[in-house]
Amino acid sequence: MYTPKKVKILILSQLYRDGVLVVKLDKKNSRYSNLITIKLMKSLVSKGLVGEQFSWNFYYFILQDSGVDYLRKILNIPRSVIPFTHIAI
């Protein structure tokens, strides 16, 4: 599936910022944005960079430690910036 580079960078930067991405699976009112996001995240799941959980028509994609390093390289993010889920309180 063709994904514009702007959209791909937007989705990946949102995943990196939050550390978790929630996408609703909506078969009746299928929009391309949800489908593009799900397929992009599934490709990262197959590489072992993101964990996947499906419950009640929602996909939960959780960024793994190896995925953090991969997204830093792709998005040119400095090592000082870390996802919200990796911040210890």
Side-chain angles (χ1 to χ4, degrees):
M1 171 178 274
Y2 173 72
T3 305
K5 190 170 185 174
K6 283 183 178 181
V7 174
K8 185 177 180 180
I9 289 175
L10 181 69
I11 293 168
L12 293 177
S13 62
Q14 182 71 29
L15 174 66
Y16 186 84
R17 186 177 69 90
D18 295 337
V20 176
L21 198 63
V22 179
V23 184
K24 182 175 183 177
L25 178 65
D26 193 6
K27 292 183 178 179
K28 290 182 182 177
N29 196 7
S30 181
R31 297 182 306 215
Y32 283 113
S33 61
N34 284 357
L35 182 62
I36 288 172
T37 305
I38 290 170
K39 293 303 177 185
L40 180 62
M41 291 297 108
K42 290 263 189 183
S43 72
L44 294 178
V45 168
S46 69
K47 294 177 184 177
L49 304 173
V50 175
E52 174 189 16
Q53 184 69 37
F54 183 76
S55 178
W56 290 87
N57 285 334
F58 283 92
Y59 280 102
Y60 299 92
F61 297 102
I62 301 104
L63 188 60
Q64 306 290 342
D65 291 333
S66 59
V68 171
D69 295 332
Y70 175 78
L71 289 180
R72 275 190 189 134
K73 187 174 73 173
I74 294 295
L75 299 172
N76 297 323
I77 297 174
R79 295 194 64 77
S80 61
V81 180
I82 57 175
F84 287 142
T85 56
H86 291 263
I87 297 174
I89 296 177

